[in-house]
PDB file of all heavy atoms in Angstrom:
ATOM      1  N   PRO A1219      31.677 137.329  13.283  1.00  0.00           N
ATOM      2  CA  PRO A1219      33.041 137.762  12.891  1.00  0.00           C
ATOM      3  C   PRO A1219      32.991 138.804  11.794  1.00  0.00           C
ATOM      4  O   PRO A1219      32.242 138.704  10.772  1.00  0.00           O
ATOM      5  CB  PRO A1219      33.655 136.589  12.451  1.00  0.00           C
ATOM      6  CG  PRO A1219      33.015 135.416  13.109  1.00  0.00           C
ATOM      7  CD  PRO A1219      31.593 135.827  13.239  1.00  0.00           C
ATOM      8  N   GLY A1220      33.723 139.861  12.009  1.00  0.00           N
ATOM      9  CA  GLY A1220      33.886 140.998  11.146  1.00  0.00           C
ATOM     10  C   GLY A1220      32.883 142.177  11.429  1.00  0.00           C
ATOM     11  O   GLY A1220      32.966 143.238  10.999  1.00  0.00           O
ATOM     12  N   ASP A1221      31.856 141.955  12.347  1.00  0.00           N
ATOM     13  CA  ASP A1221      30.949 142.916  12.731  1.00  0.00           C
ATOM     14  C   ASP A1221      31.751 144.049  13.585  1.00  0.00           C
ATOM     15  O   ASP A1221      32.759 143.731  14.225  1.00  0.00           O
ATOM     16  CB  ASP A1221      29.778 142.448  13.656  1.00  0.00           C
ATOM     17  CG  ASP A1221      28.761 141.808  12.849  1.00  0.00           C
ATOM     18  OD1 ASP A1221      28.725 141.969  11.560  1.00  0.00           O
ATOM     19  OD2 ASP A1221      27.869 141.041  13.417  1.00  0.00           O
ATOM     20  N   THR A1222      31.201 145.191  13.659  1.00  0.00           N
ATOM     21  CA  THR A1222      31.818 146.358  14.374  1.00  0.00           C
ATOM     22  C   THR A1222      31.283 146.298  15.869  1.00  0.00           C
ATOM     23  O   THR A1222      30.159 146.168  16.103  1.00  0.00           O
ATOM     24  CB  THR A1222      31.418 147.651  13.672  1.00  0.00           C
ATOM     25  OG1 THR A1222      32.008 147.715  12.441  1.00  0.00           O
ATOM     26  CG2 THR A1222      32.017 148.879  14.551  1.00  0.00           C
ATOM     27  N   VAL A1223      32.313 146.286  16.695  1.00  0.00           N
ATOM     28  CA  VAL A1223      32.069 146.219  18.181  1.00  0.00           C
ATOM     29  C   VAL A1223      32.895 147.400  18.778  1.00  0.00           C
ATOM     30  O   VAL A1223      33.992 147.654  18.425  1.00  0.00           O
ATOM     31  CB  VAL A1223      32.449 144.999  18.817  1.00  0.00           C
ATOM     32  CG1 VAL A1223      32.293 145.020  20.307  1.00  0.00           C
ATOM     33  CG2 VAL A1223      31.634 143.797  18.217  1.00  0.00           C
ATOM     34  N   MET A1224      32.244 148.162  19.723  1.00  0.00           N
ATOM     35  CA  MET A1224      33.001 149.257  20.489  1.00  0.00           C
ATOM     36  C   MET A1224      33.382 148.683  21.858  1.00  0.00           C
ATOM     37  O   MET A1224      32.490 148.100  22.519  1.00  0.00           O
ATOM     38  CB  MET A1224      32.119 150.499  20.531  1.00  0.00           C
ATOM     39  CG  MET A1224      32.039 151.293  19.311  1.00  0.00           C
ATOM     40  SD  MET A1224      31.022 152.769  19.579  1.00  0.00           S
ATOM     41  CE  MET A1224      31.885 153.619  20.873  1.00  0.00           C
ATOM     42  N   GLY A1225      34.550 148.944  22.220  1.00  0.00           N
ATOM     43  CA  GLY A1225      34.976 148.551  23.512  1.00  0.00           C
ATOM     44  C   GLY A1225      36.032 149.534  24.091  1.00  0.00           C
ATOM     45  O   GLY A1225      36.648 150.469  23.334  1.00  0.00           O
ATOM     46  N   MET A1226      36.221 149.643  25.362  1.00  0.00           N
ATOM     47  CA  MET A1226      37.062 150.602  26.106  1.00  0.00           C
ATOM     48  C   MET A1226      38.528 150.291  25.738  1.00  0.00           C
ATOM     49  O   MET A1226      38.982 149.138  25.886  1.00  0.00           O
ATOM     50  CB  MET A1226      36.829 150.568  27.540  1.00  0.00           C
ATOM     51  CG  MET A1226      37.357 151.708  28.246  1.00  0.00           C
ATOM     52  SD  MET A1226      36.857 151.737  29.991  1.00  0.00           S
ATOM     53  CE  MET A1226      37.268 153.442  30.560  1.00  0.00           C
ATOM     54  N   ARG A1227      39.353 151.248  25.459  1.00  0.00           N
ATOM     55  CA  ARG A1227      40.792 151.089  25.144  1.00  0.00           C
ATOM     56  C   ARG A1227      41.464 150.447  26.441  1.00  0.00           C
ATOM     57  O   ARG A1227      41.194 150.885  27.539  1.00  0.00           O
ATOM     58  CB  ARG A1227      41.352 152.369  24.729  1.00  0.00           C
ATOM     59  CG  ARG A1227      42.803 152.318  24.334  1.00  0.00           C
ATOM     60  CD  ARG A1227      43.193 153.754  23.747  1.00  0.00           C
ATOM     61  NE  ARG A1227      42.547 154.072  22.536  1.00  0.00           N
ATOM     62  CZ  ARG A1227      41.606 155.120  22.527  1.00  0.00           C
ATOM     63  NH1 ARG A1227      41.337 155.806  23.649  1.00  0.00           N
ATOM     64  NH2 ARG A1227      40.965 155.339  21.394  1.00  0.00           N
ATOM     65  N   LEU A1228      42.417 149.616  26.196  1.00  0.00           N
ATOM     66  CA  LEU A1228      43.188 148.944  27.343  1.00  0.00           C
ATOM     67  C   LEU A1228      43.844 150.009  28.161  1.00  0.00           C
ATOM     68  O   LEU A1228      43.773 149.839  29.464  1.00  0.00           O
ATOM     69  CB  LEU A1228      44.078 147.927  26.739  1.00  0.00           C
ATOM     70  CG  LEU A1228      44.730 146.858  27.855  1.00  0.00           C
ATOM     71  CD1 LEU A1228      43.648 145.995  28.396  1.00  0.00           C
ATOM     72  CD2 LEU A1228      45.762 146.062  27.163  1.00  0.00           C
ATOM     73  N   THR A1229      44.485 150.980  27.621  1.00  0.00           N
ATOM     74  CA  THR A1229      45.142 151.948  28.442  1.00  0.00           C
ATOM     75  C   THR A1229      44.167 152.882  29.146  1.00  0.00           C
ATOM     76  O   THR A1229      44.628 153.622  30.058  1.00  0.00           O
ATOM     77  CB  THR A1229      46.104 152.743  27.539  1.00  0.00           C
ATOM     78  OG1 THR A1229      45.391 153.418  26.373  1.00  0.00           O
ATOM     79  CG2 THR A1229      47.289 151.923  26.953  1.00  0.00           C
ATOM     80  N   ALA A1230      42.927 152.869  28.758  1.00  0.00           N
ATOM     81  CA  ALA A1230      41.924 153.610  29.591  1.00  0.00           C
ATOM     82  C   ALA A1230      41.290 152.782  30.633  1.00  0.00           C
ATOM     83  O   ALA A1230      40.512 153.368  31.452  1.00  0.00           O
ATOM     84  CB  ALA A1230      40.898 154.174  28.503  1.00  0.00           C
ATOM     85  N   GLY A1231      41.573 151.554  30.613  1.00  0.00           N
ATOM     86  CA  GLY A1231      41.024 150.775  31.724  1.00  0.00           C
ATOM     87  C   GLY A1231      40.211 149.481  31.246  1.00  0.00           C
ATOM     88  O   GLY A1231      39.616 148.832  31.990  1.00  0.00           O
ATOM     89  N   GLY A1232      40.209 149.344  29.911  1.00  0.00           N
ATOM     90  CA  GLY A1232      39.438 148.187  29.413  1.00  0.00           C
ATOM     91  C   GLY A1232      39.966 146.894  29.627  1.00  0.00           C
ATOM     92  O   GLY A1232      41.008 146.768  30.332  1.00  0.00           O
ATOM     93  N   HIS A1233      39.369 145.833  29.003  1.00  0.00           N
ATOM     94  CA  HIS A1233      39.836 144.395  29.271  1.00  0.00           C
ATOM     95  C   HIS A1233      40.206 143.795  27.867  1.00  0.00           C
ATOM     96  O   HIS A1233      39.880 144.298  26.878  1.00  0.00           O
ATOM     97  CB  HIS A1233      38.677 143.612  29.890  1.00  0.00           C
ATOM     98  CG  HIS A1233      39.052 142.241  30.257  1.00  0.00           C
ATOM     99  ND1 HIS A1233      38.821 141.147  29.452  1.00  0.00           N
ATOM    100  CD2 HIS A1233      39.744 141.758  31.275  1.00  0.00           C
ATOM    101  CE1 HIS A1233      39.210 140.013  30.138  1.00  0.00           C
ATOM    102  NE2 HIS A1233      39.837 140.442  31.263  1.00  0.00           N
ATOM    103  N   LEU A1234      41.084 142.768  27.987  1.00  0.00           N
ATOM    104  CA  LEU A1234      41.551 142.142  26.839  1.00  0.00           C
ATOM    105  C   LEU A1234      40.321 141.668  25.796  1.00  0.00           C
ATOM    106  O   LEU A1234      40.503 141.821  24.684  1.00  0.00           O
ATOM    107  CB  LEU A1234      42.284 140.826  27.200  1.00  0.00           C
ATOM    108  CG  LEU A1234      43.643 141.027  27.861  1.00  0.00           C
ATOM    109  CD1 LEU A1234      44.132 139.619  28.364  1.00  0.00           C
ATOM    110  CD2 LEU A1234      44.638 141.586  26.824  1.00  0.00           C
ATOM    111  N   THR A1235      39.299 141.225  26.405  1.00  0.00           N
ATOM    112  CA  THR A1235      38.209 140.802  25.644  1.00  0.00           C
ATOM    113  C   THR A1235      37.331 141.873  25.159  1.00  0.00           C
ATOM    114  O   THR A1235      36.294 141.588  24.497  1.00  0.00           O
ATOM    115  CB  THR A1235      37.240 139.771  26.454  1.00  0.00           C
ATOM    116  OG1 THR A1235      36.877 140.496  27.597  1.00  0.00           O
ATOM    117  CG2 THR A1235      38.118 138.579  26.886  1.00  0.00           C
ATOM    118  N   HIS A1236      37.657 143.062  25.344  1.00  0.00           N
ATOM    119  CA  HIS A1236      36.951 144.190  24.838  1.00  0.00           C
ATOM    120  C   HIS A1236      37.584 144.801  23.557  1.00  0.00           C
ATOM    121  O   HIS A1236      37.219 145.801  23.080  1.00  0.00           O
ATOM    122  CB  HIS A1236      36.873 145.336  25.868  1.00  0.00           C
ATOM    123  CG  HIS A1236      36.157 144.971  27.203  1.00  0.00           C
ATOM    124  ND1 HIS A1236      35.989 145.797  28.231  1.00  0.00           N
ATOM    125  CD2 HIS A1236      35.628 143.803  27.530  1.00  0.00           C
ATOM    126  CE1 HIS A1236      35.317 145.209  29.191  1.00  0.00           C
ATOM    127  NE2 HIS A1236      35.071 143.978  28.792  1.00  0.00           N
ATOM    128  N   GLY A1237      38.454 144.077  22.952  1.00  0.00           N
ATOM    129  CA  GLY A1237      38.945 144.416  21.618  1.00  0.00           C
ATOM    130  C   GLY A1237      40.402 144.527  21.426  1.00  0.00           C
ATOM    131  O   GLY A1237      40.855 145.030  20.418  1.00  0.00           O
ATOM    132  N   VAL A1238      41.186 143.874  22.315  1.00  0.00           N
ATOM    133  CA  VAL A1238      42.690 143.929  22.160  1.00  0.00           C
ATOM    134  C   VAL A1238      43.030 142.980  20.939  1.00  0.00           C
ATOM    135  O   VAL A1238      42.471 141.870  20.876  1.00  0.00           O
ATOM    136  CB  VAL A1238      43.409 143.514  23.486  1.00  0.00           C
ATOM    137  CG1 VAL A1238      44.776 143.335  23.244  1.00  0.00           C
ATOM    138  CG2 VAL A1238      43.111 144.433  24.524  1.00  0.00           C
ATOM    139  N   THR A1239      43.812 143.326  20.110  1.00  0.00           N
ATOM    140  CA  THR A1239      44.230 142.722  18.907  1.00  0.00           C
ATOM    141  C   THR A1239      44.811 141.294  19.084  1.00  0.00           C
ATOM    142  O   THR A1239      44.556 140.376  18.275  1.00  0.00           O
ATOM    143  CB  THR A1239      45.200 143.509  18.073  1.00  0.00           C
ATOM    144  OG1 THR A1239      46.415 143.829  18.847  1.00  0.00           O
ATOM    145  CG2 THR A1239      44.641 144.811  17.581  1.00  0.00           C
ATOM    146  N   THR A1240      45.482 141.051  20.296  1.00  0.00           N
ATOM    147  CA  THR A1240      46.028 139.730  20.414  1.00  0.00           C
ATOM    148  C   THR A1240      44.940 138.767  21.100  1.00  0.00           C
ATOM    149  O   THR A1240      45.271 137.604  21.345  1.00  0.00           O
ATOM    150  CB  THR A1240      47.232 139.877  21.520  1.00  0.00           C
ATOM    151  OG1 THR A1240      46.799 140.595  22.670  1.00  0.00           O
ATOM    152  CG2 THR A1240      48.374 140.548  20.834  1.00  0.00           C
ATOM    153  N   ASN A1241      43.769 139.234  21.433  1.00  0.00           N
ATOM    154  CA  ASN A1241      42.670 138.476  21.928  1.00  0.00           C
ATOM    155  C   ASN A1241      41.772 138.103  20.816  1.00  0.00           C
ATOM    156  O   ASN A1241      41.735 138.779  19.746  1.00  0.00           O
ATOM    157  CB  ASN A1241      42.043 139.291  22.991  1.00  0.00           C
ATOM    158  CG  ASN A1241      40.891 138.543  23.747  1.00  0.00           C
ATOM    159  OD1 ASN A1241      39.703 138.741  23.430  1.00  0.00           O
ATOM    160  ND2 ASN A1241      41.199 137.762  24.663  1.00  0.00           N
ATOM    161  N   PHE A1242      40.905 137.098  21.113  1.00  0.00           N
ATOM    162  CA  PHE A1242      39.925 136.724  20.027  1.00  0.00           C
ATOM    163  C   PHE A1242      39.002 137.917  19.585  1.00  0.00           C
ATOM    164  O   PHE A1242      38.613 137.981  18.465  1.00  0.00           O
ATOM    165  CB  PHE A1242      39.010 135.540  20.590  1.00  0.00           C
ATOM    166  CG  PHE A1242      37.877 136.008  21.513  1.00  0.00           C
ATOM    167  CD1 PHE A1242      36.676 136.513  21.029  1.00  0.00           C
ATOM    168  CD2 PHE A1242      38.139 136.112  22.962  1.00  0.00           C
ATOM    169  CE1 PHE A1242      35.707 136.979  22.035  1.00  0.00           C
ATOM    170  CE2 PHE A1242      37.241 136.516  23.835  1.00  0.00           C
ATOM    171  CZ  PHE A1242      35.972 136.938  23.279  1.00  0.00           C
ATOM    172  N   SER A1243      38.636 138.768  20.485  1.00  0.00           N
ATOM    173  CA  SER A1243      37.807 139.912  20.308  1.00  0.00           C
ATOM    174  C   SER A1243      38.425 140.875  19.211  1.00  0.00           C
ATOM    175  O   SER A1243      37.688 141.202  18.169  1.00  0.00           O
ATOM    176  CB  SER A1243      37.500 140.731  21.501  1.00  0.00           C
ATOM    177  OG  SER A1243      38.695 141.173  22.269  1.00  0.00           O
ATOM    178  N   GLY A1244      39.737 141.158  19.520  1.00  0.00           N
ATOM    179  CA  GLY A1244      40.337 142.146  18.343  1.00  0.00           C
ATOM    180  C   GLY A1244      40.835 141.420  17.162  1.00  0.00           C
ATOM    181  O   GLY A1244      40.793 141.971  16.076  1.00  0.00           O
ATOM    182  N   ALA A1245      40.907 140.068  17.154  1.00  0.00           N
ATOM    183  CA  ALA A1245      41.359 139.403  16.061  1.00  0.00           C
ATOM    184  C   ALA A1245      40.094 138.991  14.980  1.00  0.00           C
ATOM    185  O   ALA A1245      40.272 139.067  13.875  1.00  0.00           O
ATOM    186  CB  ALA A1245      41.954 138.073  16.409  1.00  0.00           C
ATOM    187  N   ASN A1246      38.915 138.846  15.679  1.00  0.00           N
ATOM    188  CA  ASN A1246      37.800 138.431  14.946  1.00  0.00           C
ATOM    189  C   ASN A1246      36.846 139.457  14.627  1.00  0.00           C
ATOM    190  O   ASN A1246      35.785 139.219  13.740  1.00  0.00           O
ATOM    191  CB  ASN A1246      37.141 137.262  15.649  1.00  0.00           C
ATOM    192  CG  ASN A1246      37.979 136.085  15.782  1.00  0.00           C
ATOM    193  OD1 ASN A1246      38.843 135.817  14.905  1.00  0.00           O
ATOM    194  ND2 ASN A1246      37.765 135.215  16.785  1.00  0.00           N
ATOM    195  N   TYR A1247      36.910 140.616  15.293  1.00  0.00           N
ATOM    196  CA  TYR A1247      35.833 141.691  15.096  1.00  0.00           C
ATOM    197  C   TYR A1247      36.462 142.990  14.767  1.00  0.00           C
ATOM    198  O   TYR A1247      37.600 143.298  15.065  1.00  0.00           O
ATOM    199  CB  TYR A1247      34.954 141.797  16.363  1.00  0.00           C
ATOM    200  CG  TYR A1247      34.334 140.431  16.727  1.00  0.00           C
ATOM    201  CD1 TYR A1247      34.919 139.658  17.498  1.00  0.00           C
ATOM    202  CD2 TYR A1247      33.090 140.206  16.243  1.00  0.00           C
ATOM    203  CE1 TYR A1247      34.424 138.345  17.812  1.00  0.00           C
ATOM    204  CE2 TYR A1247      32.578 138.919  16.438  1.00  0.00           C
ATOM    205  CZ  TYR A1247      33.182 138.017  17.337  1.00  0.00           C
ATOM    206  OH  TYR A1247      32.642 136.845  17.624  1.00  0.00           O
ATOM    207  N   ASN A1248      35.623 143.860  14.084  1.00  0.00           N
ATOM    208  CA  ASN A1248      36.110 145.210  13.732  1.00  0.00           C
ATOM    209  C   ASN A1248      36.018 146.194  14.949  1.00  0.00           C
ATOM    210  O   ASN A1248      34.849 146.479  15.191  1.00  0.00           O
ATOM    211  CB  ASN A1248      35.351 145.815  12.548  1.00  0.00           C
ATOM    212  CG  ASN A1248      35.731 147.151  12.207  1.00  0.00           C
ATOM    213  OD1 ASN A1248      36.914 147.625  12.314  1.00  0.00           O
ATOM    214  ND2 ASN A1248      34.804 147.997  11.797  1.00  0.00           N
ATOM    215  N   ILE A1249      37.007 146.273  15.704  1.00  0.00           N
ATOM    216  CA  ILE A1249      36.873 147.040  17.039  1.00  0.00           C
ATOM    217  C   ILE A1249      37.118 148.548  16.836  1.00  0.00           C
ATOM    218  O   ILE A1249      38.078 148.985  16.261  1.00  0.00           O
ATOM    219  CB  ILE A1249      37.948 146.402  18.000  1.00  0.00           C
ATOM    220  CG1 ILE A1249      37.697 144.909  18.276  1.00  0.00           C
ATOM    221  CG2 ILE A1249      37.810 147.144  19.315  1.00  0.00           C
ATOM    222  CD1 ILE A1249      36.347 144.569  18.829  1.00  0.00           C
ATOM    223  N   VAL A1250      36.160 149.257  17.549  1.00  0.00           N
ATOM    224  CA  VAL A1250      36.330 150.697  17.560  1.00  0.00           C
ATOM    225  C   VAL A1250      36.538 151.009  19.055  1.00  0.00           C
ATOM    226  O   VAL A1250      35.701 150.604  19.882  1.00  0.00           O
ATOM    227  CB  VAL A1250      35.065 151.451  17.090  1.00  0.00           C
ATOM    228  CG1 VAL A1250      35.111 152.961  17.357  1.00  0.00           C
ATOM    229  CG2 VAL A1250      34.833 151.130  15.552  1.00  0.00           C
ATOM    230  N   ARG A1251      37.591 151.711  19.376  1.00  0.00           N
ATOM    231  CA  ARG A1251      37.987 151.837  20.763  1.00  0.00           C
ATOM    232  C   ARG A1251      37.618 153.258  21.284  1.00  0.00           C
ATOM    233  O   ARG A1251      37.850 154.265  20.555  1.00  0.00           O
ATOM    234  CB  ARG A1251      39.502 151.607  20.934  1.00  0.00           C
ATOM    235  CG  ARG A1251      39.906 150.207  20.715  1.00  0.00           C
ATOM    236  CD  ARG A1251      41.401 149.974  20.696  1.00  0.00           C
ATOM    237  NE  ARG A1251      41.753 148.626  20.310  1.00  0.00           N
ATOM    238  CZ  ARG A1251      41.853 148.133  19.079  1.00  0.00           C
ATOM    239  NH1 ARG A1251      41.639 148.960  18.100  1.00  0.00           N
ATOM    240  NH2 ARG A1251      42.091 146.934  18.848  1.00  0.00           N
ATOM    241  N   TYR A1252      37.016 153.322  22.381  1.00  0.00           N
ATOM    242  CA  TYR A1252      36.866 154.523  23.121  1.00  0.00           C
ATOM    243  C   TYR A1252      37.635 154.691  24.352  1.00  0.00           C
ATOM    244  O   TYR A1252      38.215 153.762  24.835  1.00  0.00           O
ATOM    245  CB  TYR A1252      35.280 154.816  23.403  1.00  0.00           C
ATOM    246  CG  TYR A1252      34.675 153.805  24.346  1.00  0.00           C
ATOM    247  CD1 TYR A1252      34.771 154.042  25.782  1.00  0.00           C
ATOM    248  CD2 TYR A1252      34.045 152.738  23.876  1.00  0.00           C
ATOM    249  CE1 TYR A1252      34.107 153.148  26.629  1.00  0.00           C
ATOM    250  CE2 TYR A1252      33.444 151.867  24.832  1.00  0.00           C
ATOM    251  CZ  TYR A1252      33.560 152.041  26.156  1.00  0.00           C
ATOM    252  OH  TYR A1252      32.968 151.125  26.995  1.00  0.00           O
ATOM    253  N   GLY A1253      37.758 155.941  24.976  1.00  0.00           N
ATOM    254  CA  GLY A1253      38.676 156.031  26.046  1.00  0.00           C
ATOM    255  C   GLY A1253      38.139 157.090  27.031  1.00  0.00           C
ATOM    256  O   GLY A1253      36.999 157.393  27.237  1.00  0.00           O
TER     257      GLY A1253
END
């Protein structure tokens, strides 16, 4: 928790578990989004 993880932005085609703030991934990790 707190580590930086990169995931695809939801509007670009990513998934909830790739860093969306309402998901555990976005809530527990420092997410950097690409698109």
Side-chain angles (χ1 to χ4, degrees):
D1221 281 350
T1222 298
V1223 175
M1224 281 182 58
M1226 194 175 195
R1227 188 175 293 110
L1228 192 64
T1229 54
H1233 187 258
L1234 289 172
T1235 56
H1236 299 180
V1238 175
T1239 54
T1240 53
N1241 183 260
F1242 77 86
S1243 54
N1246 296 332
Y1247 301 91
N1248 176 37
I1249 301 295
V1250 175
R1251 297 172 182 84
Y1252 63 86

